[in-house]
Amino acid sequence: MYRKMYEIRCFELEVDRLFKANMIWGTCHLSVGEEATAVGAIAALEKDDMITSTHRGHGHCIAKGGKLPQMFAELLGKETGYCRGRGGSMHIADIETGNLGANGIVGGGIPIATGAALASKMKKDGKVTLCFFGDGANNQGVFHESLNIASLWKLPVVYVCENNQYGMSVAFKKSTAAENVADRAAAYNMPGEIVDGNDVEAVYFAVKKAVDRARRGEGPSLIEAKTYRWLGHSKSDANVYRTKEEIEEWKKRCPIKRYRAKLVEEGVATEEELEKIEKEVEREIQEAIEYAKNSPEPSVEDIADGVYA
């Protein structure tokens, strides 16, 4: 879990650098500071289980086993990318690992996850679907419709809200009447749990309990992981609606530094072992970037591939 969190952090910081160097087109939404939620939640799944992601989905893809070279290639718009360079930052999908895709639509993955869970129930394949969404999505109609039908039909789905305190530039407290997203679970007769989204083990245990419940046929759960994004909503966000003091306060709760200290303190890993992991990850990231840079551009002749049947 430490390795995966460090991988996500390094990936996102490199994406930030590449974007500033005009090597990534469109926009992108980075999850620096939120690594524990993606890693802890996905660690609670079996390999064949599925996820749906969000516009801030790089961490989900990496945590579910996504390959760094293909991810960088996708962001750089190359033919070797996961979606052959057509999807970009907000639309990476990796069906092989059970990642049904990121989504540029706020809350867009919620009904998809619910549908995937319905398919699993009908096929009796024993799979659980994990649905990531942000706090901004909890006020969308599809959130309420999906939770209602999932509870009625006892679908094997776990809804995980990554509450990073802001939907675009609006504070959660200014947009949502309920004090917590998890409070809304009661309306749909399912368990709702609040967890420290910067504690990877706390996230793991909360999601594992919900996944086991879903797999037993007892229906969905709603988990709210309270976390924080260090950077702006997207690359076009001037980030003027938050104070520097607030950002610095959350940085003190960095999920990676916290877990690193815990692993050393409890004797699970030594400083040397963790440094070795960090160096390996940093090397793999640079190799993946080189792969992406050297990959071919999509052919103009293939421009309609995947657009028309």
Side-chain angles (χ1 to χ4, degrees):
M1 288 198 289
Y2 181 77
R3 184 189 187 96
K4 282 292 174 192
M5 284 199 292
Y6 194 74
E7 222 172 88
I8 294 167
R9 175 70 59 87
C10 290
F11 181 90
E12 296 287 60
L13 292 176
E14 283 297 326
V15 169
D16 188 39
R17 183 182 67 80
L18 292 167
F19 189 91
K20 288 171 181 171
N22 293 319
M23 294 180 69
I24 292 175
W25 314 108
T27 189
C28 58
H29 304 74
L30 304 177
S31 61
V32 176
E34 300 182 34
E35 298 86 357
T37 304
V39 172
I42 288 172
L45 297 177
E46 298 294 331
K47 191 178 178 184
D48 290 340
D49 290 334
M50 297 173 286
I51 68 164
T52 60
S53 185
T54 69
H55 54 270
R56 200 179 308 283
H58 306 155
H60 307 145
C61 188
I62 291 170
K64 194 68 172 75
K67 297 180 178 70
L68 297 173
Q70 281 88 326
M71 288 186 69
F72 275 115
E74 183 59 35
L75 267 64
L76 267 60
K78 298 301 184 80
E79 182 68 28
T80 54
Y82 267 119
C83 302
R84 297 178 64 195
R86 273 99 163 144
S89 174
M90 290 195 288
H91 302 100
I92 291 178
D94 181 13
I95 306 302
E96 233 174 74
T97 62
N99 179 359
L100 303 181
N103 206 303
I105 299 168
V106 175
I110 302 175
I112 295 171
T114 308
L118 173 60
S120 286
K121 182 167 184 175
M122 292 175 76
K123 292 196 292 183
K124 298 178 181 173
D125 60 16
K127 293 180 185 178
V128 172
T129 302
L130 191 65
C131 173
F132 288 104
F133 62 97
D135 48 285
N138 97 105
N139 292 321
Q140 298 288 328
V142 290
F143 167 81
H144 299 277
E145 293 168 22
S146 297
L147 267 66
N148 183 60
I149 204 74
S151 184
L152 271 173
W153 292 350
K154 291 197 177 334
L155 300 182
V157 57
V158 177
Y159 299 101
V160 178
C161 175
E162 295 176 296
N163 186 346
N164 61 23
Q165 314 303 314
Y166 291 89
M168 195 166 267
S169 61
V170 181
F172 174 74
K173 289 177 181 176
K174 290 183 178 179
S175 67
T176 302
E179 190 176 343
N180 306 291
V181 174
D183 295 344
R184 293 183 155 175
Y188 303 108
N189 196 27
M190 68 175 71
E193 186 172 347
I194 299 167
V195 66
D196 179 354
N198 283 12
D199 181 338
V200 70
E201 288 187 5
V203 174
Y204 167 80
F205 286 118
V207 174
K208 183 74 167 67
K209 184 169 71 175
V211 167
D212 290 346
R213 180 177 183 273
R215 215 182 298 280
R216 289 194 302 267
E218 295 172 25
S221 302
L222 173 61
I223 293 165
E224 178 183 6
K226 294 196 186 269
T227 182
Y228 196 82
R229 56 171 166 82
W230 293 7
L231 305 175
H233 170 72
S234 68
K235 296 308 296 174
S236 57
D237 180 5
N239 207 15
V240 295
Y241 48 87
R242 306 190 289 180
T243 64
K244 288 179 181 176
E245 291 75 19
E246 179 185 293
I247 296 169
E248 288 307 312
E249 199 54 42
W250 273 93
K251 282 185 176 181
K252 290 175 187 173
R253 297 162 63 182
C254 171
I256 296 174
K257 283 184 179 175
R258 265 173 84 179
Y259 201 47
R260 193 184 201 285
K262 183 179 183 181
L263 291 173
V264 173
E265 192 181 314
E266 295 183 356
V268 178
T270 63
E271 289 280 357
E272 292 73 27
E273 285 172 325
L274 294 175
E275 282 171 16
K276 185 184 176 189
I277 287 170
E278 289 158 6
K279 284 175 183 169
E280 284 174 2
V281 167
E282 288 162 14
R283 188 185 69 248
E284 287 167 10
I285 291 278
Q286 293 308 315
E287 288 172 355
I289 291 171
E290 285 306 305
Y291 170 87
K293 283 181 180 176
N294 296 323
S295 290
E297 302 281 344
S299 165
V300 175
E301 287 73 35
D302 298 335
I303 197 166
D305 281 11
V307 179
Y308 299 102

